[in-house]
Amino acid sequence: MRDRSQLQAAGQPFTFDAERNDEFERLCTRYPIRESMIMPALWLAQEQQGWISAEVIEYIAERLDTYPAKVYELATFYTMYHLRPVGTYHICVCRTLSCYLRDKQEIVDFITDEIGIKPGQVSEDGRFSLEEVECLGHCGTAPVVQINGEFHEEMNVEKLKAVLAHLD
């Protein structure tokens, strides 16, 4: 598993854009306990910036009047939060038991050979990134691949080739 303990700095302050700020304010009315808003706020920030930077952690902590360590612990625990920039197409391959037993490694090996990236890497052109993640919740239709949030079940190399050919 890739080390999820090190945050990268984006090098510039972060603030929600108008659309996400409105959504943040709307969601706050649904969460009377401010710290319960950490995960939705992280999701909004990732949607805007594409990943969670050290500046995002500080910004969300300030907005929710909590400690940055509380935001950090959630951001680093869940693999759905990207702690570094990812490719235009972020490919997640489930690595838990069902997917492992149904040849998820063939999919990872294909991506490594064809695109030239290993788990945790971004392609040189920034188009693809690959990550092996814990359970994606589709054990009955393993192996499963998630590309930018869209699930592809009962995946194999031939199906993946077809999916990749239709990107863009």
Side-chain angles (χ1 to χ4, degrees), residues 17-54:
D17 60 21
E19 175 185 347
R20 286 167 186 88
N21 191 60
D22 290 348
E23 181 65 7
F24 177 85
E25 293 298 330
R26 186 188 72 75
L27 288 171
C28 281
T29 64
R30 298 173 63 189
Y31 292 86
I33 299 171
R34 299 289 282 181
E35 289 179 351
S36 299
M37 267 293 296
I38 293 173
M39 291 182 67
L42 285 168
W43 192 255
L44 287 171
Q46 183 168 282
E47 184 180 82
Q48 178 178 321
Q49 183 172 271
W51 60 291
I52 303 298
S53 64

Short mmCIF file of all heavy atoms in Angstrom, two decimals, residues 17-54:
data_model
loop_
_atom_site.label_atom_id
_atom_site.label_comp_id
_atom_site.label_asym_id
_atom_site.label_seq_id
_atom_site.Cartn_x
_atom_site.Cartn_y
_atom_site.Cartn_z
N ASP A 17 -14.57 27.57 -4.43
CA ASP A 17 -15.15 28.49 -5.41
C ASP A 17 -16.61 28.75 -5.01
O ASP A 17 -17.12 28.14 -4.06
CB ASP A 17 -15.02 27.94 -6.84
CG ASP A 17 -15.70 26.60 -7.04
OD1 ASP A 17 -16.61 26.24 -6.27
OD2 ASP A 17 -15.31 25.89 -7.99
N ALA A 18 -17.27 29.65 -5.71
CA ALA A 18 -18.63 30.07 -5.32
C ALA A 18 -19.60 28.89 -5.28
O ALA A 18 -20.39 28.75 -4.34
CB ALA A 18 -19.13 31.15 -6.27
N GLU A 19 -19.54 28.03 -6.29
CA GLU A 19 -20.47 26.89 -6.35
C GLU A 19 -20.26 25.95 -5.16
O GLU A 19 -21.22 25.54 -4.51
CB GLU A 19 -20.24 26.14 -7.66
CG GLU A 19 -21.06 24.88 -7.80
CD GLU A 19 -20.71 24.10 -9.06
OE1 GLU A 19 -20.02 24.64 -9.96
OE2 GLU A 19 -21.11 22.93 -9.14
N ARG A 20 -19.02 25.63 -4.88
CA ARG A 20 -18.75 24.70 -3.77
C ARG A 20 -18.96 25.36 -2.42
O ARG A 20 -19.34 24.71 -1.45
CB ARG A 20 -17.38 24.09 -3.92
CG ARG A 20 -17.43 23.06 -5.06
CD ARG A 20 -16.10 22.61 -5.51
NE ARG A 20 -16.24 21.76 -6.67
CZ ARG A 20 -16.28 22.19 -7.93
NH1 ARG A 20 -16.17 23.48 -8.19
NH2 ARG A 20 -16.40 21.36 -8.94
N ASN A 21 -18.72 26.64 -2.34
CA ASN A 21 -19.00 27.34 -1.08
C ASN A 21 -20.49 27.31 -0.78
O ASN A 21 -20.90 27.09 0.36
CB ASN A 21 -18.48 28.78 -1.15
CG ASN A 21 -18.52 29.42 0.22
OD1 ASN A 21 -17.88 28.93 1.14
ND2 ASN A 21 -19.32 30.47 0.35
N ASP A 22 -21.32 27.53 -1.80
CA ASP A 22 -22.77 27.44 -1.61
C ASP A 22 -23.17 26.05 -1.17
O ASP A 22 -24.02 25.89 -0.27
CB ASP A 22 -23.51 27.81 -2.90
CG ASP A 22 -23.40 29.28 -3.25
OD1 ASP A 22 -22.96 30.08 -2.38
OD2 ASP A 22 -23.74 29.64 -4.40
N GLU A 23 -22.59 25.03 -1.78
CA GLU A 23 -22.90 23.65 -1.40
C GLU A 23 -22.42 23.36 0.02
O GLU A 23 -23.12 22.71 0.80
CB GLU A 23 -22.27 22.67 -2.39
CG GLU A 23 -22.54 21.21 -2.10
CD GLU A 23 -24.01 20.80 -2.22
OE1 GLU A 23 -24.84 21.62 -2.66
OE2 GLU A 23 -24.32 19.66 -1.85
N PHE A 24 -21.24 23.85 0.37
CA PHE A 24 -20.73 23.70 1.73
C PHE A 24 -21.71 24.31 2.74
O PHE A 24 -22.06 23.67 3.73
CB PHE A 24 -19.35 24.36 1.84
CG PHE A 24 -18.76 24.33 3.21
CD1 PHE A 24 -18.06 23.22 3.66
CD2 PHE A 24 -18.92 25.41 4.08
CE1 PHE A 24 -17.52 23.19 4.93
CE2 PHE A 24 -18.38 25.38 5.35
CZ PHE A 24 -17.68 24.27 5.78
N GLU A 25 -22.15 25.52 2.48
CA GLU A 25 -23.09 26.19 3.39
C GLU A 25 -24.41 25.44 3.47
O GLU A 25 -25.00 25.31 4.54
CB GLU A 25 -23.32 27.64 2.94
CG GLU A 25 -22.09 28.52 3.08
CD GLU A 25 -21.60 28.64 4.52
OE1 GLU A 25 -22.41 28.57 5.45
OE2 GLU A 25 -20.38 28.80 4.70
N ARG A 26 -24.89 24.93 2.33
CA ARG A 26 -26.14 24.16 2.33
C ARG A 26 -25.99 22.89 3.16
O ARG A 26 -26.85 22.54 3.97
CB ARG A 26 -26.54 23.80 0.90
CG ARG A 26 -27.90 23.13 0.78
CD ARG A 26 -28.17 22.62 -0.63
NE ARG A 26 -27.38 21.45 -0.98
CZ ARG A 26 -27.61 20.21 -0.54
NH1 ARG A 26 -28.61 19.97 0.28
NH2 ARG A 26 -26.84 19.20 -0.91
N LEU A 27 -24.87 22.18 2.99
CA LEU A 27 -24.64 20.94 3.73
C LEU A 27 -24.49 21.20 5.23
O LEU A 27 -24.88 20.36 6.04
CB LEU A 27 -23.41 20.21 3.19
CG LEU A 27 -23.59 19.55 1.82
CD1 LEU A 27 -22.24 19.06 1.30
CD2 LEU A 27 -24.59 18.41 1.89
N CYS A 28 -23.92 22.32 5.60
CA CYS A 28 -23.73 22.64 7.02
C CYS A 28 -25.06 22.65 7.77
O CYS A 28 -25.10 22.32 8.95
CB CYS A 28 -23.02 23.98 7.19
SG CYS A 28 -21.24 23.88 6.94
N THR A 29 -26.13 22.98 7.09
CA THR A 29 -27.44 23.00 7.77
C THR A 29 -27.91 21.58 8.09
O THR A 29 -28.77 21.40 8.93
CB THR A 29 -28.50 23.70 6.90
OG1 THR A 29 -28.70 22.96 5.70
CG2 THR A 29 -28.09 25.14 6.59
N ARG A 30 -27.35 20.60 7.41
CA ARG A 30 -27.75 19.20 7.62
C ARG A 30 -26.89 18.50 8.67
O ARG A 30 -27.15 17.37 9.04
CB ARG A 30 -27.67 18.44 6.31
CG ARG A 30 -28.63 19.00 5.26
CD ARG A 30 -28.46 18.37 3.93
NE ARG A 30 -28.76 16.94 3.99
CZ ARG A 30 -28.53 16.10 3.01
NH1 ARG A 30 -27.99 16.52 1.88
NH2 ARG A 30 -28.82 14.82 3.13
N TYR A 31 -25.79 19.13 9.07
CA TYR A 31 -24.86 18.52 10.02
C TYR A 31 -24.73 19.44 11.24
O TYR A 31 -23.88 20.33 11.25
CB TYR A 31 -23.49 18.33 9.38
CG TYR A 31 -23.45 17.30 8.28
CD1 TYR A 31 -23.77 17.62 6.96
CD2 TYR A 31 -23.08 15.98 8.56
CE1 TYR A 31 -23.72 16.68 5.96
CE2 TYR A 31 -23.03 15.03 7.56
CZ TYR A 31 -23.35 15.38 6.26
OH TYR A 31 -23.31 14.45 5.26
N PRO A 32 -25.55 19.22 12.26
CA PRO A 32 -25.46 20.09 13.44
C PRO A 32 -24.13 19.98 14.17
O PRO A 32 -23.71 20.91 14.83
CB PRO A 32 -26.63 19.63 14.32
CG PRO A 32 -27.06 18.32 13.79
CD PRO A 32 -26.60 18.22 12.38
N ILE A 33 -23.47 18.84 14.07
CA ILE A 33 -22.13 18.69 14.65
C ILE A 33 -21.13 19.02 13.56
O ILE A 33 -21.02 18.30 12.56
CB ILE A 33 -21.92 17.26 15.20
CG1 ILE A 33 -22.95 16.98 16.29
CG2 ILE A 33 -20.49 17.10 15.72
CD1 ILE A 33 -22.98 15.54 16.76
N ARG A 34 -20.41 20.12 13.70
CA ARG A 34 -19.55 20.64 12.64
C ARG A 34 -18.52 19.62 12.14
O ARG A 34 -18.24 19.55 10.96
CB ARG A 34 -18.84 21.92 13.11
CG ARG A 34 -19.78 23.05 13.47
CD ARG A 34 -20.44 23.65 12.30
NE ARG A 34 -19.49 24.54 11.65
CZ ARG A 34 -19.78 25.25 10.59
NH1 ARG A 34 -20.98 25.20 10.07
NH2 ARG A 34 -18.88 26.03 10.04
N GLU A 35 -17.93 18.85 13.04
CA GLU A 35 -16.90 17.89 12.62
C GLU A 35 -17.46 16.79 11.71
O GLU A 35 -16.71 16.16 10.99
CB GLU A 35 -16.20 17.30 13.83
CG GLU A 35 -15.31 18.32 14.51
CD GLU A 35 -14.61 17.77 15.73
OE1 GLU A 35 -14.94 16.66 16.17
OE2 GLU A 35 -13.75 18.49 16.25
N SER A 36 -18.76 16.59 11.74
CA SER A 36 -19.38 15.61 10.85
C SER A 36 -19.31 16.06 9.40
O SER A 36 -19.53 15.26 8.48
CB SER A 36 -20.83 15.36 11.24
OG SER A 36 -20.91 14.86 12.54
N MET A 37 -19.01 17.31 9.19
CA MET A 37 -18.91 17.88 7.83
C MET A 37 -17.52 17.67 7.22
O MET A 37 -17.30 18.06 6.07
CB MET A 37 -19.19 19.39 7.87
CG MET A 37 -20.62 19.76 7.61
SD MET A 37 -21.13 19.40 5.92
CE MET A 37 -20.06 20.49 4.99
N ILE A 38 -16.60 17.08 7.94
CA ILE A 38 -15.23 16.95 7.41
C ILE A 38 -15.22 16.16 6.10
O ILE A 38 -14.64 16.63 5.11
CB ILE A 38 -14.28 16.31 8.45
CG1 ILE A 38 -14.09 17.26 9.64
CG2 ILE A 38 -12.93 15.98 7.81
CD1 ILE A 38 -13.31 16.63 10.80
N MET A 39 -15.84 15.00 6.08
CA MET A 39 -15.78 14.18 4.87
C MET A 39 -16.48 14.85 3.68
O MET A 39 -15.91 14.88 2.59
CB MET A 39 -16.31 12.77 5.14
CG MET A 39 -15.36 12.00 6.06
SD MET A 39 -15.85 10.31 6.40
CE MET A 39 -15.65 9.58 4.78
N PRO A 40 -17.71 15.39 3.84
CA PRO A 40 -18.30 16.10 2.70
C PRO A 40 -17.45 17.30 2.25
O PRO A 40 -17.34 17.57 1.05
CB PRO A 40 -19.66 16.56 3.23
CG PRO A 40 -19.99 15.64 4.34
CD PRO A 40 -18.67 15.26 4.95
N ALA A 41 -16.83 17.99 3.20
CA ALA A 41 -15.99 19.13 2.83
C ALA A 41 -14.75 18.67 2.06
O ALA A 41 -14.35 19.30 1.08
CB ALA A 41 -15.58 19.91 4.07
N LEU A 42 -14.16 17.56 2.50
CA LEU A 42 -13.02 17.01 1.76
C LEU A 42 -13.43 16.63 0.34
O LEU A 42 -12.69 16.86 -0.62
CB LEU A 42 -12.44 15.79 2.49
CG LEU A 42 -11.61 16.07 3.73
CD1 LEU A 42 -11.36 14.77 4.50
CD2 LEU A 42 -10.28 16.73 3.36
N TRP A 43 -14.61 16.07 0.23
CA TRP A 43 -15.09 15.65 -1.10
C TRP A 43 -15.28 16.86 -2.02
O TRP A 43 -14.90 16.83 -3.19
CB TRP A 43 -16.38 14.85 -0.97
CG TRP A 43 -16.74 14.16 -2.24
CD1 TRP A 43 -17.70 14.50 -3.12
CD2 TRP A 43 -16.07 13.02 -2.78
NE1 TRP A 43 -17.69 13.64 -4.19
CE2 TRP A 43 -16.71 12.73 -4.01
CE3 TRP A 43 -15.02 12.22 -2.36
CZ2 TRP A 43 -16.30 11.66 -4.81
CZ3 TRP A 43 -14.63 11.17 -3.17
CH2 TRP A 43 -15.26 10.90 -4.37
N LEU A 44 -15.86 17.93 -1.47
CA LEU A 44 -16.04 19.15 -2.26
C LEU A 44 -14.69 19.72 -2.70
O LEU A 44 -14.53 20.16 -3.85
CB LEU A 44 -16.81 20.20 -1.45
CG LEU A 44 -18.29 19.97 -1.24
CD1 LEU A 44 -18.86 20.97 -0.23
CD2 LEU A 44 -19.05 20.05 -2.56
N ALA A 45 -13.73 19.72 -1.77
CA ALA A 45 -12.41 20.25 -2.11
C ALA A 45 -11.73 19.41 -3.18
O ALA A 45 -11.13 19.94 -4.12
CB ALA A 45 -11.54 20.30 -0.85
N GLN A 46 -11.86 18.10 -3.06
CA GLN A 46 -11.26 17.22 -4.07
C GLN A 46 -11.93 17.39 -5.42
O GLN A 46 -11.28 17.38 -6.47
CB GLN A 46 -11.32 15.78 -3.62
CG GLN A 46 -10.64 14.82 -4.60
CD GLN A 46 -10.47 13.46 -4.02
OE1 GLN A 46 -9.58 13.24 -3.23
NE2 GLN A 46 -11.34 12.54 -4.40
N GLU A 47 -13.23 17.59 -5.40
CA GLU A 47 -13.97 17.83 -6.64
C GLU A 47 -13.45 19.09 -7.32
O GLU A 47 -13.30 19.14 -8.54
CB GLU A 47 -15.46 17.97 -6.30
CG GLU A 47 -16.37 18.14 -7.47
CD GLU A 47 -17.80 18.27 -7.00
OE1 GLU A 47 -18.21 19.39 -6.61
OE2 GLU A 47 -18.51 17.25 -7.01
N GLN A 48 -13.13 20.10 -6.54
CA GLN A 48 -12.66 21.36 -7.10
C GLN A 48 -11.20 21.30 -7.53
O GLN A 48 -10.84 21.70 -8.63
CB GLN A 48 -12.83 22.48 -6.07
CG GLN A 48 -12.33 23.84 -6.54
CD GLN A 48 -12.57 24.91 -5.49
OE1 GLN A 48 -13.61 24.92 -4.83
NE2 GLN A 48 -11.61 25.80 -5.33
N GLN A 49 -10.33 20.82 -6.65
CA GLN A 49 -8.89 20.86 -6.91
C GLN A 49 -8.35 19.59 -7.55
O GLN A 49 -7.29 19.60 -8.15
CB GLN A 49 -8.14 21.12 -5.59
CG GLN A 49 -6.65 21.26 -5.74
CD GLN A 49 -5.99 21.71 -4.47
OE1 GLN A 49 -5.87 22.89 -4.24
NE2 GLN A 49 -5.58 20.75 -3.64
N GLY A 50 -9.09 18.48 -7.39
CA GLY A 50 -8.64 17.22 -7.93
C GLY A 50 -7.89 16.36 -6.95
O GLY A 50 -7.68 15.17 -7.19
N TRP A 51 -7.47 16.94 -5.85
CA TRP A 51 -6.76 16.20 -4.81
C TRP A 51 -6.78 17.02 -3.52
O TRP A 51 -7.17 18.19 -3.52
CB TRP A 51 -5.34 15.88 -5.25
CG TRP A 51 -4.47 17.06 -5.57
CD1 TRP A 51 -4.62 17.92 -6.64
CD2 TRP A 51 -3.36 17.54 -4.83
NE1 TRP A 51 -3.64 18.87 -6.59
CE2 TRP A 51 -2.84 18.66 -5.51
CE3 TRP A 51 -2.71 17.11 -3.68
CZ2 TRP A 51 -1.74 19.37 -5.05
CZ3 TRP A 51 -1.60 17.80 -3.24
CH2 TRP A 51 -1.13 18.92 -3.93
N ILE A 52 -6.34 16.38 -2.43
CA ILE A 52 -6.36 17.02 -1.11
C ILE A 52 -4.92 17.44 -0.78
O ILE A 52 -4.05 16.59 -0.59
CB ILE A 52 -6.89 16.05 -0.03
CG1 ILE A 52 -8.29 15.55 -0.39
CG2 ILE A 52 -6.86 16.73 1.34
CD1 ILE A 52 -9.36 16.60 -0.49
N SER A 53 -4.70 18.72 -0.70
CA SER A 53 -3.38 19.25 -0.37
C SER A 53 -3.33 19.66 1.10
O SER A 53 -4.36 19.71 1.79
CB SER A 53 -3.07 20.47 -1.24
OG SER A 53 -4.01 21.51 -0.96
N ALA A 54 -2.15 19.98 1.56
CA ALA A 54 -1.98 20.46 2.94
C ALA A 54 -2.80 21.73 3.16
O ALA A 54 -3.38 21.94 4.23
CB ALA A 54 -0.51 20.73 3.23
#
